[in-house]
């Protein structure tokens, strides 16, 4: 045989084999020293790319994200719900069972929340700080957006914009739900967080936050021309706008009681030692709350419109419950206390959030080697809490892809419903998100009807799940 051909026949498969197993060999070799337990089963893929191609195959090409986990279960067995992988440039452990998710969320001493893009949210933001500083900030923010008094005030504040938005959709007749829910959510955020009325400043901020959010999904390289660089510029300008507002307020503290918004709340609140937040803490936290609340709330609203169009029997029941309340209101706004009495509406909210899976995966980093049920989660590896899979696994929810609010007649099995995360980092805006969604459902149900223009539109799952047409609807008054 020709010697060159022999070389190719031997070397090419060997090279292919080596590339295929490169990451597994490399990381397993580095861990061998000093590690008692083995790595979870899995495949870490090619050098640099890791398993990204397989991930994109399921999320982008097949558009069946849950099959990414099912394929692992078929290949390696369900085991303890841990798989090793290499995604987004890092070695990682996928966690997809209720018990391992609970374990990681609650072991905060060894699993840190680390944002690769802290510069974008700000180093003193609630999502960036740890330990005592985090607990202190949480209590400030919680009082401003998560307590019954705050929610009563917020329920009143958000309704004018919601009601006006629905009127304008009906006037247009045909709208893209995602575009419209984003507009109304941002309008409300501007009002709730910084007392801003609809107008050019809010429009500018909206554009800046769109740029800023893109930076989260980009590689953190601060070079002109990159999305990350643009996001940092957007952040700087957004902080500048909020800072101007803050300076104006410092000069007129007497106006605070009239506005009573998040910025005032954060400026005035004191902790047990009587300490106020610093200016930069106020600004960083306003920015990070907008980031956390903007897309999540608008996407959930879009999904509510989508599912109610697909499930007219659910909409009918929702209407019945809300019409009863509406008859007692004589056109007044509904209150957060009334919302808490709307049993079926709250079930629709829960079912929407479960299926929307706005936060499909939550990230942590192991600060030391952790052994869980015989497997090592190595120090400095990412842990990907695959909460989406908990919500779509038939073992946890019967007929999981069916939009069935009545399943909430019973609480979910322990540890299977983690849409808002868990542990001390559990979403601080969860009550605010639920309230806004319930208020939207009320006004939709009592006043409007709508249909999907493309009921069979394909889904896109990156960066967030949504129909590719953004849920275009034909919308009119009842
Ligand atoms: C349906 C809507 C929402 C969903 C599904 C959602 C989901 C989540 C999840 C899964 C986490 C945990 C992240 C982690 O552990 O790393 C989280 C944290 C957080 N969320 Fe939400 N969220 C929603 C709405 C909101 C809203 C409306 C706000 C505020 C305006 C908000 C503010 C936050 C903040 C500040 C954190 C960080 C908390 C901390 O680190 O202590 N979220 N959210």
């Amino acid at each position: 045989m020709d010697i060159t051909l022999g070389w190719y026949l031997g070397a090419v498969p060997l090279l292919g084999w080596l590339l295929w197993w490169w990451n597994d060999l490399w990381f397993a070799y580095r861990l061998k020293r000093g590690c008692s337990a083995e790595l979870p089963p899995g495949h870490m893929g090619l050098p640099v790319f890791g398993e990204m191609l397989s991930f994109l195959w399921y999320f982008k090409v097949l558009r069946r994200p849950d099959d990414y986990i099912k394929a692992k279960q078929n290949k390696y067995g369900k085991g303890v719900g841990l798989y090793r992988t290499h995604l987004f440039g890092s070695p990682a452990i996928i966690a997809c069972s209720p018990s391992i998710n609970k374990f990681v969320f609650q072991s905060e001493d060894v699993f840190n929340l680390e944002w690769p893009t802290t510069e974008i949210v700000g180093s003193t933001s609630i999502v960036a700080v740890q330990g005592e500083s985090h607990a202190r900030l949480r209590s400030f923010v919680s009082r401003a957006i998560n307590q019954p008094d705050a929610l009563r005030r917020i329920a009143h504040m958000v309704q004018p914009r919601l009601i006006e938005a629905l009127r304008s959709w009906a006037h247009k007749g045909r709208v893209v739900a995602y575009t419209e829910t984003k507009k109304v959510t941002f309008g409300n955020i501007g009002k709730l967080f910084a007392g801003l009325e609809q107008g050019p400043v809010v429009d500018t901020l909206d554009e800046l936050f769109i740029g800023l959010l893109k930076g989260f999904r980009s590689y953190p390289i601060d070079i002109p021309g990159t999305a990350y660089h643009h996001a940092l510029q957007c952040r700087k300008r957004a902080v500048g706008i909020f800072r101007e507002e803050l300076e104006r307020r410092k000069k007129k503290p007497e106006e605070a009681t009239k506005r009573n918004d998040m910025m005032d709340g954060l400026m005035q609140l004191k902790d047990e030692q009587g300490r106020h937040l610093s200016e930069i803490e106020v600004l960083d936290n306003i920015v990070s709350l907008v980031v956390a609340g903007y897309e999540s709330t608008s996407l959930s609203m879009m999904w509510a419109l989508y599912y109610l169009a697909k499930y007219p029997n659910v909409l009918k029941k929702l209407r019945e419950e809300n019409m009863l309340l509406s008859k007692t209101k004589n056109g007044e706004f509904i209150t957060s206390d009334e919302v808490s009495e709307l049993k079926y509406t709250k079930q629709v909210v829960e079912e929407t959030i479960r299926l929307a899976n706005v936060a499909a995966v939550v990230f942590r980093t192991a600060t030391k080697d952790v052994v869980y049920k015989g497997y090592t989660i190595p120090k400095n590896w990412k842990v990907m809490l695959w909460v989406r899979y908990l919500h779509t696994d038939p073992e946890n929810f019967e007929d999981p892809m069916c939009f069935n609010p009545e399943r909430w007649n019973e609480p979910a099995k322990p540890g299977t419903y983690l849409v808002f995360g868990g542990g001390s980092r559990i979403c601080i805006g969860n009550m605010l998100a639920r309230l806004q969604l319930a208020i939207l459902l009320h006004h939709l149900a009592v006043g409007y009807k709508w249909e999907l223009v493309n009921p069979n539109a394909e889904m896109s799952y990156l960066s967030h799940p949504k129909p590719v047409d953004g849920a275009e609807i034909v919308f009119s008054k009842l």
Side-chain angles (χ1 to χ4, degrees):
M1 195 194 323
D2 182 335
I3 222 158
T4 333
L5 180 66
W7 247 102
Y8 278 124
L9 287 179
V12 171
L14 183 68
L15 192 66
W17 182 90
L18 200 63
L19 283 177
W20 186 244
W21 290 107
W22 181 267
N23 276 341
D24 289 273
L25 295 170
W26 173 248
F27 287 102
Y29 168 73
R30 289 188 21 168
L31 283 170
K32 258 294 174 257
R33 292 158 292 153
C35 252
S36 52
E38 56 182 312
L39 280 172
H43 180 226
M44 301 180 72
L46 306 171
V48 186
F49 292 108
E51 248 207 329
M52 277 314 282
L53 294 179
S54 161
F55 173 84
L56 292 173
W57 173 252
Y58 285 104
F59 274 71
K60 252 192 162 1
V61 182
L62 295 183
R63 298 174 194 265
R64 293 207 304 267
D66 302 314
D67 287 0
Y68 176 67
I69 297 295
K70 280 183 199 146
K72 291 191 183 303
Q73 292 180 336
N74 291 340
K75 195 160 178 191
Y76 308 110
K78 280 200 162 185
V80 298
L82 288 177
Y83 302 100
R84 70 172 183 271
T85 185
H86 191 290
L87 286 173
F88 305 104
S90 305
I93 299 291
I94 290 174
C96 57
S97 77
S99 50
I100 175 66
N101 272 269
K102 185 172 164 213
F103 172 74
V104 174
F105 273 130
Q106 292 186 349
S107 309
E108 284 147 28
D109 48 333
V110 282
F111 295 108
N112 253 352
L113 171 63
E114 261 180 23
W115 285 60
T117 47
T118 308
E119 280 174 296
I120 298 184
V121 273
S123 58
T124 67
S125 128
I126 185 168
V127 296
V129 294
Q130 313 279 349
E132 214 179 288
S133 313
H134 174 248
R136 170 172 170 260
L137 262 177
R138 252 193 101 91
S139 85
F140 275 111
V141 176
S142 172
R143 274 182 273 162
I145 60 170
N146 219 25
Q147 301 296 316
D149 272 355
L151 292 169
R152 271 185 206 111
R153 188 170 41 75
I154 290 172
H156 199 264
M157 276 171 110
V158 297
Q159 286 183 71
R161 261 156 241 84
L162 269 177
I163 292 170
E164 186 43 44
L166 297 186
R167 255 188 227 135
S168 83
W169 302 359
H171 183 69
K172 288 183 203 161
R174 185 167 165 153
V175 293
V176 174
Y178 183 48
T179 312
E180 300 299 327
T181 56
K182 269 172 75 173
K183 257 191 240 162
V184 65
T185 303
F186 201 81
N188 269 331
I189 280 179
K191 178 75 187 166
L192 283 179
F193 291 2
L196 301 170
E197 293 299 341
Q198 210 75 39
V201 176
V202 171
D203 293 345
T204 307
L205 274 173
D206 193 357
E207 266 175 41
L208 293 174
F209 273 95
I210 289 171
L212 199 152
L213 283 163
K214 281 190 187 144
F216 279 112
R217 306 190 265 278
S218 64
Y219 216 76
I221 308 175
D222 185 11
I223 301 174
T226 61
Y228 190 71
H229 179 78
H230 178 64
L232 288 177
Q233 302 298 310
C234 289
R235 174 193 152 80
K236 211 165 150 189
R237 286 181 58 205
V239 168
I241 294 176
F242 287 129
R243 190 187 290 280
E244 252 177 51
E245 179 61 23
L246 190 138
E247 292 299 334
R248 209 179 55 74
R249 289 177 182 211
K250 277 189 349 201
K251 289 184 194 135
K252 295 192 174 166
E254 70 284 356
E255 285 181 5
T257 40
K258 270 189 264 158
R259 277 183 314 255
N260 206 5
D261 57 27
M262 165 82 84
M263 189 179 273
D264 284 331
L266 291 178
M267 284 168 78
Q268 288 160 8
L269 286 171
K270 290 185 207 162
D271 64 12
E272 293 84 52
Q273 281 85 42
R275 290 173 301 178
H276 284 284
L277 288 181
S278 68
E279 269 176 32
I280 191 64
E281 279 178 308
V282 172
L283 296 171
D284 277 356
N285 281 290
I286 297 232
V287 170
S288 51
L289 284 163
V290 177
V291 166
Y294 180 22
E295 216 160 25
S296 53
T297 309
S298 13
L299 276 164
S300 311
M301 288 179 171
M302 178 212 71
W303 279 112
L305 283 151
Y306 177 90
Y307 282 118
L308 290 172
K310 286 238 158 181
Y311 290 80
N313 55 332
V314 175
L315 179 56
K316 184 167 170 278
K317 248 185 119 172
L318 187 75
R319 272 201 220 291
E320 283 163 11
E321 183 176 73
N322 282 277
M323 287 288 192
L324 273 182
L325 170 63
S326 179
K327 278 185 195 142
T328 66
K329 296 295 302 178
N330 291 325
E332 292 161 29
F333 294 163
I334 56 166
T335 65
S336 59
D337 298 301
E338 284 160 346
V339 167
S340 61
E341 301 294 317
L342 296 172
K343 180 173 176 242
Y344 190 69
T345 308
K346 287 196 299 177
Q347 293 180 327
V348 175
V349 167
E350 238 42 68
E351 187 65 348
T352 304
I353 299 176
R354 177 185 74 86
L355 271 177
N357 274 310
V358 170
V361 179
V362 174
F363 288 82
R364 292 289 184 270
T365 306
T367 57
K368 63 175 192 179
D369 286 350
V370 179
V371 175
Y372 180 81
K373 296 192 178 168
Y375 291 111
T376 296
I377 302 175
K379 180 175 173 180
N380 293 334
W381 282 34
K382 297 269 174 276
V383 180
M384 302 178 79
L385 298 160
W386 218 276
V387 289
R388 181 193 161 93
Y389 191 70
L390 300 178
H391 310 142
T392 57
D393 182 353
E395 278 192 13
N396 302 337
F397 293 92
E398 197 185 323
D399 196 2
M401 301 321 282
C402 174
F403 185 72
N404 173 18
E406 256 133 49
R407 71 172 80 245
W408 295 99
N409 283 332
E410 301 293 326
K413 292 182 202 164
T416 59
Y417 184 56
L418 296 177
V419 276
F420 292 111
S424 73
R425 296 267 174 192
I426 195 166
C427 176
I428 202 162
N430 74 81
M431 296 309 288
L432 173 59
R434 287 175 161 124
L435 177 68
Q436 292 198 75
L437 207 45
I439 292 176
L440 171 75
L441 291 178
H442 171 79
H443 291 291
L444 279 172
V446 299
Y448 299 93
K449 56 187 173 123
W450 64 98
E451 271 172 30
L452 291 167
V453 174
N454 306 302
N456 300 317
E458 277 201 289
M459 292 295 151
S460 96
Y461 290 94
L462 293 176
S463 58
H464 296 288
K466 59 177 185 303
V468 288
D469 68 345
E472 195 173 4
I473 49 178
V474 177
F475 192 86
S476 59
K477 282 196 168 149
L478 264 182

